[in-house]
Amino acid sequence: MTFTILEDAGKFYRNYAKAAGFSTRVRSTNRKGNEIKNQLITCSREKKWKSKISPTEKTNSTTGLNYPARIYIHTLKNVGAWIISKVVLDHSHPCCPSKAEMLKQHRELSMSIRRTIENNEEAGIRPSKTYQSFVAAARGHRELNFIEKDVRNYIMREVHNVSEQEDAKEFGKYLLRMKEKNQNFFFELELEEDQSIKLAFWADARSRAAFEYFGDVISFDTTYNTNK
C-alpha cells in the first residue's frame, strides 16, 4: 500500500489496530538530515525483556516474550510517496477487538464532551458525577469511547490550567487595587511565560508596622497545593 504522506500510513495502522484489538507506537524513525527515510511502527506491547520471576512461578505465560506485530514504512524514491514494505500480523498475546476502544490510544473526548466537562467543572460538579451523566446518556460504559480517568485528566490538564492563568491575572489586579487604597501597601509579582505565578510577595501597612515591633515573617510555601 502507498500513501501520500507518512501520517496517513500511521493513521491507517492505528485504525487497523483498533479493529484488531491492540494499540500501536512508533518504534524507530530513520532520518537523513531533516528528512525521514523510513519508520517502524509496532504493537504498543512490543518489547523483549528478562523477567525477574522464574518461569516456574509465572502465571502469565506471555510475560517476557517478544510481540512481533509491526509494519515498515519507507519513502519511494523520486515519487514522493510512502509505501508499507513489510507487515507482520502475528501477536504473542491475545487481542480483544470488542474492548479496543478502552486502550489509551483509541480513547478520545469529542468537542461537545469537552464543553460539557468545562461547564460542569465551572458549576462545581464533581468529575465522577460528570462521567456518570455521560454513562447514563449513552446507556452504559461500553457505549463510551473514554473512561472517567480521561475526564479527570482533561480537567487537570486543560480546565485547571486556564483557571490558574485567570487566577494569576485577577490576583495581580487585586494587588494593584490594594496599592491604590494605601500607598504603604507593597507587593512584588512575577509571572511565568504561560501567565502562571512564578513568585509573589505582599505586605500591607499593618504587617509592615508589626514587623517594626516584632521582626517576624510568615512565609507560605504554596507548592503543598500542587501535589498529593
Side-chain angles (χ1 to χ4, degrees), residues 7-216:
E7 288 73 15
D8 286 346
K11 183 178 180 180
F12 169 80
Y13 194 47
R14 287 194 300 273
N15 290 338
Y16 162 75
K18 185 175 182 179
F22 68 99
S23 59
T24 68
R25 70 185 180 97
V26 176
R27 180 71 168 78
S28 62
T29 301
N30 292 325
R31 302 172 181 268
K32 187 175 182 180
N34 294 326
E35 295 184 1
I36 296 177
K37 292 300 180 180
N38 55 72
Q39 191 171 81
L40 168 62
I41 305 179
T42 70
C43 168
S44 60
R45 294 181 64 184
E46 183 272 338
K47 59 183 177 180
K48 195 170 185 179
W49 53 280
K50 186 177 180 180
S51 176
K52 295 180 180 179
I53 305 174
S54 65
T56 57
E57 296 177 351
K58 285 183 181 180
T59 58
N60 183 357
S61 58
T62 63
T63 300
L65 297 177
N66 188 40
Y67 303 94
R70 62 189 60 200
I71 63 170
Y72 293 92
I73 312 167
H74 68 78
T75 56
L76 287 172
K77 294 181 180 180
N78 304 321
V79 177
W82 296 84
I83 185 173
I84 296 180
S85 59
K86 184 178 179 180
V87 179
V88 179
L89 300 179
D90 298 328
H91 291 265
S92 53
H93 62 90
C95 296
C96 187
S98 64
K99 297 182 179 179
E101 69 274 6
M102 291 296 100
L103 295 173
K104 184 177 180 179
Q105 183 181 62
H106 304 311
R107 302 197 309 260
E108 61 180 353
L109 300 174
S110 65
M111 289 301 297
S112 61
I113 293 294
R114 295 181 184 184
R115 187 64 59 200
T116 301
I117 293 173
E118 293 170 5
N119 292 338
N120 286 4
E121 179 66 15
E122 185 176 352
I125 300 175
R126 297 197 304 271
S128 59
K129 293 293 185 181
T130 297
Y131 178 70
Q132 289 302 322
S133 69
F134 293 136
V135 173
R139 298 184 178 180
H141 298 267
R142 299 294 297 275
E143 303 303 319
L144 298 175
N145 58 349
F146 59 91
I147 60 178
E148 184 177 336
K149 183 178 179 181
D150 297 321
V151 174
R152 295 181 180 276
N153 287 345
Y154 180 75
I155 292 174
M156 293 299 297
R157 185 178 65 252
E158 302 294 339
V159 180
H160 283 183
N161 185 44
V162 173
S163 62
E164 285 175 3
Q165 294 176 8
E166 294 301 320
D167 285 347
K169 293 179 183 178
E170 290 302 318
F171 182 54
K173 293 178 182 178
Y174 171 77
L175 294 177
L176 287 172
R177 291 197 299 269
M178 295 297 292
K179 180 69 175 179
E180 292 173 357
K181 291 180 179 180
N182 190 327
Q183 291 302 311
N184 287 325
F185 183 89
F186 175 82
F187 75 91
E188 286 284 349
L189 178 64
E190 186 175 342
L191 302 180
E192 299 281 8
E193 293 182 0
D194 63 357
Q195 299 304 303
S196 61
I197 295 176
K198 181 177 182 180
L199 60 88
F201 173 83
W202 70 96
D204 58 22
R206 184 177 180 183
S207 297
R208 298 176 71 177
F211 180 76
E212 293 294 330
Y213 284 104
F214 305 107
D216 291 333

